[in-house]
């Protein structure tokens, strides 16, 4: 969620999502809110540990699952099925174009997809239709390396031990 006054991400608390307030959940929400791009559970665990938080990886996974069910995070998957999380904006569900190399993510206008899903629900009699749209490519900064025949780079935030792009 974006804070209109600062342009930054508004801080969520466990109470905001109807969960019991715990030190671990608050730390996970704060760290996730600082990440500019998508981050894995391992990325978040590494960041939390580096900040001195005593939290297990299983707790991080559980909290992210709760956040996803509460529709407060957007989730994308990589080629191998790994899940990456980003705090959902105040405007709701978004779709992203993600660089396969560096992990740069940009929200894209997918109003046509949203309208199609709504029409499909109305026409079919189905309710609560969910959909996934994942778009991946190579950003302008990574393109020269890929074009020159270099093997495609990998997202730093998708490698264990590397940290995602987060604000200080």
């Amino acid at each position: 969620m974006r804070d209109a006054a600062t342009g930054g991400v508004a801080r969520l608390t466990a109470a905001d999502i109807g969960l019991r307030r715990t030190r671990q959940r608050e730390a996970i929400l704060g760290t996730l809110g600082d990440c500019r791009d998508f981050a894995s559970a391992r990325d978040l665990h590494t960041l939390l540990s580096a900040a001195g938080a005593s939290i297990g990886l299983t707790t991080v996974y559980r909290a992210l699952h709760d956040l996803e069910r509460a529709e407060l995070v957007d989730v994308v998957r990589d080629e191998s099925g790994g899940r990456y999380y980003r705090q959902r904006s105040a405007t709701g569900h978004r779709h992203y174009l993600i660089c396969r190399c560096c992990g740069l993510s940009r929200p894209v206008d997918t109003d046509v997809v949203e309208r199609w899903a709504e029409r499909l629900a109305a026409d079919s009699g189905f309710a609560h239709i969910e959909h996934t749209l994942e778009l991946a490519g190579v950003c302008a900064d990574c393109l020269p390396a890929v074009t020159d025949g270099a093997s495609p780079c990998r997202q730093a935030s998708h490698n264990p031990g590397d940290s995602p792009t987060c604000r200080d």
Side-chain angles (χ1 to χ4, degrees), residues 1-14 16-17 25-36 67 72-73 86-91 167:
M1 288 196 240
R2 300 282 168 197
D3 181 309
T6 65
V9 174
R11 293 287 182 195
L12 292 173
T13 67
D16 293 330
I17 58 175
R25 283 189 182 130
E26 297 298 329
I28 290 166
L29 287 169
T31 301
L32 187 60
D34 285 343
C35 292
R36 292 181 190 146
L67 291 169
L72 293 171
V73 294
R86 183 176 186 169
Q87 188 172 332
R88 185 167 287 177
S89 74
T91 58
R167 291 181 286 278

Side-chain angles (χ1 to χ4, degrees), residues 51-106:
S54 176
I55 188 168
L57 183 56
T58 302
T59 301
V60 174
Y61 276 108
R62 197 173 294 129
L64 289 170
H65 178 73
D66 291 342
L67 291 169
E68 182 180 0
R69 285 185 31 215
E71 299 182 351
L72 293 171
V73 294
D74 288 319
V75 181
V76 296
R77 292 169 189 83
D78 66 10
E79 303 86 26
S80 63
R83 297 168 66 83
Y84 300 90
Y85 303 85
R86 183 176 186 169
Q87 188 172 332
R88 185 167 287 177
S89 74
T91 58
H93 167 81
R94 306 274 325 248
H95 295 285
Y96 297 87
L97 177 59
I98 300 174
C99 178
R100 285 189 298 267
C101 291
C102 68
L104 176 70
S105 61
R106 294 283 186 251

